Each structure stands twice: as C-alpha cells, then as structure tokens.
Amino acid sequence: SCLQDGKEKEGNMIFEKIENLAKKKEITIAALEKELGFGNATIRGWRESYPTVDKLKKVADYFGVSVDYFLE
C-alpha cells in the first residue's frame, strides 16, 4: 500500500494546487469544470486519479500557469 499512498498524495497535490488557484480566482471547481467543458466532477476525481495531459494543459492555460507547476 506504500506505493499507492505516494500516488494518491501526488494526485492530491495536483488537485490542491487547482483548488488554490480557483480560490484566488473566486471560481468553484464545479464552475471551472463547466467553463473548460469537462464532465461533472472531472477535476474532483483527480483527488484519486491522474488527469490526462490535455486536460491538465487546459487547466494550466486557464490559470496562466505551466503544466509543470502542477507536477513539481
């Protein structure tokens, strides 16, 4: 289960960073999903799993950050 713990933590980091950016922009995660044309709860699902690169890129572009920002 150690491997999984590490993996989940990394997934959580991406979600946390998106959450922080959304708070600064005063947009909810649900509104952000709608804005980017994602399915309902797509981003919230990233707490447990990894986003695809193209979806993460859309989020990065929306907030004006690089994809690397979410991965570091």
Side-chain angles (χ1 to χ4, degrees), residues 1-6:
S1 101
C2 271
L3 246 175
Q4 204 173 353
D5 291 347

Side-chain angles (χ1 to χ4, degrees), residues 20-71:
N20 288 335
L21 289 168
K23 273 183 192 141
K24 281 183 197 155
K25 240 187 162 153
E26 296 182 348
I27 184 172
T28 64
I29 296 295
L32 179 62
E33 288 164 344
K34 200 173 267 181
E35 179 80 23
L36 297 175
F38 295 172
N40 198 20
T42 300
I43 295 174
R44 283 163 287 178
W46 298 348
R47 277 181 280 213
E48 276 86 45
S49 64
Y50 289 101
T52 59
V53 174
D54 60 321
K55 281 201 164 80
L56 195 55
K57 174 104 177 71
K58 277 187 183 171
V59 175
D61 290 346
Y62 179 82
F63 288 115
V65 297
S66 67
V67 169
D68 287 344
Y69 168 79
F70 295 112
L71 304 175

